[in-house]
Amino acid sequence: MAARSRTHSASSPDGDDGGPDDELLLAALLDGMDAALCAFDADGVVTHWNREAERMLGWTQEEAVGRQGLAGWAVRAADAEEVESRLLGAMKSPGRQVHEFALLTKDGGRVLVRVQSSGVTGADGSPMGVYCAFSEVHAQIDLERSIALSEALLEDASWGVVLVDADLRPTVVNSYAARSFRVPARAALLGRPLGELLEEGMEELEGALQYVLGEGPPTEPAELWVTIRAPQQDEEHAESGEPHRGEKSEKSGTSGCAGGVDADGGRAGSRRRCWRSGFLRLASPLAEEPVPLGVAWLFQDITGSKQAERDAARLRFRDGQLHRATRAAGECEDPLEAARLHLDFALAGFADHALLDVAPEPLAAQPSDAVLPLSPLPQPRLVRAAQTPTGGPARAPVIEPGTRTGIPVAYPEGHPALQAYQRCGSVRAGAGAGRAPENWARTRKWPEGTVYGLCAVLRSRGRTLGVVTFLRDTGRRPFDRADADHAEQVAAHVAAAVDLADLPRRVARPDAPGLR
């Protein structure tokens, strides 16, 4: 046995001696302890010595049990009197005593240990001995540090900490994570499937967690884009040409974005977040083979910095496209071809289609910063001058774009292009939820599949010459304020080319020669 006793268990009242069985059970319990343990009787003789004590000091159970005290073998002779007095003094002191001193190993080394000792009393209350549980000081300090680290991560950390079990359900979360998931309390996350908390990005997150459970943690942090699930709300977009709910037309002509509409164009875009995530696989230290207990998921919200990086990259690309378009347009002999070039360059990464409509009779209206009259202006006539790209047969226009026919596009009343022309500003429109995109686009005379439109007015020399329209198909985000600013920049270049080509005069008088 790994632990022995100098005393024998008393026989049971019915005559059956349960001593051997009790000693076997006691030995098994002592051998299974993670802490080293030794015990002394009232005379200071070692009575128990478990395997952890043998591993730590090198003295076997046979060599330790039966020795008088620790002097000369487990403690230096010079220190033995003080050490033994402190240990055996626990028999006369209530509660548990904690001490730190150095023990000797069998090979002559020294180990600094922390000892917890407590007295053992008999049935009559008389002291019978003392037991001592000890461990290396650095191991105890490591344990305390681990506990302190866990508490700090779960309370005061400036990043989210979520512990999920093998079923991918949160078991422990900290305050940062609860705020990130928009829940009122940390307990509201416990045990809930993550699919109930995330609207988008759930499959990717579950895939990452399953990968960590099966293969281990990734070598680099992952940046996950997720959308926090919100209560169901009615999605009501305004009619075509009218700003979305929460938007209004400003004096500058650019429709505003209020009421939670963010750079992604979503109604509650603030729910879309980018989390830089690290993952750790948790395994039980008590099992002989690693048994996964779950995954520790640590994340930090970097949405602001990522959005700033995207916006900066998008702005650099768009500025580069404008620069290249301006240089290419300078080589065009025909100003209308220069206008088409500007539209072709603007489409890259911005829209799927671009339409150029000019007015036969330019509107010499108030400047863009003037206050619009209360009474609506007469509905203008707009003639299709260019369309890019031409697309397939299903997208071909009914009337081939040209400036000589003078036939206006059959835009219905309240069309976004007509509104942009009358307002001398930009107008955004979207198909919205609950509407068929095909019917919505067909009604507005836009190519099939269009779900978002942005109309920017063409202004040159104080006159409104027409409208340029950018369209996006299904699968793309709505136009936002930054898109409207870019569209107005493109429209300024296109307006200069349209004015140079004198397209309005050529439309009004089909027999007029073009300017060269």
Side-chain angles (χ1 to χ4, degrees), residues 29 39 45 56 102 108 157 197-198 203 264 270 335 361 385 435 445 450:
L29 292 175
V45 178
M56 185 181 302
L197 305 171
L198 299 179
E203 293 79 5
D264 288 333
S270 62
E361 299 177 0
R435 295 188 177 92
K445 306 301 178 183
T450 298

Side-chain angles (χ1 to χ4, degrees), residues 362-368 421 424 457-467 488 491-502 504:
L363 176 63
Q366 298 87 352
S368 59
Y421 187 90
C424 295
V457 69
L458 303 178
R459 294 278 297 176
S460 179
R461 295 188 296 165
R463 300 180 302 160
T464 304
L465 305 182
V467 176
E488 290 173 357
H493 290 273
V494 174
V498 169
D499 193 13
L500 181 61
D502 201 13

Side-chain angles (χ1 to χ4, degrees), residues 271-354:
R271 294 187 291 112
R272 180 165 173 78
R273 315 303 296 172
C274 182
W275 292 340
R276 178 171 291 163
S277 305
F279 302 92
L280 296 172
R281 181 168 60 180
L282 304 180
S284 173
L286 304 180
E288 295 183 1
E289 297 182 0
V291 177
L293 298 178
V295 177
W297 171 30
L298 292 82
F299 66 91
Q300 192 170 29
D301 194 322
I302 59 169
T303 308
S305 60
K306 292 299 294 185
Q307 192 62 52
E309 292 176 6
R310 287 188 171 188
D311 292 343
R314 182 171 59 179
L315 182 60
R316 288 195 301 269
F317 176 77
R318 290 177 176 178
D319 288 345
Q321 288 294 98
L322 281 175
H323 176 70
R324 287 189 286 270
T326 302
R327 295 190 60 181
E331 303 299 327
C332 295
E333 183 180 359
D334 184 3
L336 181 58
E337 183 63 25
R340 292 196 188 99
L341 269 177
H342 277 290
L343 297 181
D344 288 334
F345 275 92
L347 282 184
F350 181 67
D352 297 296
H353 307 277

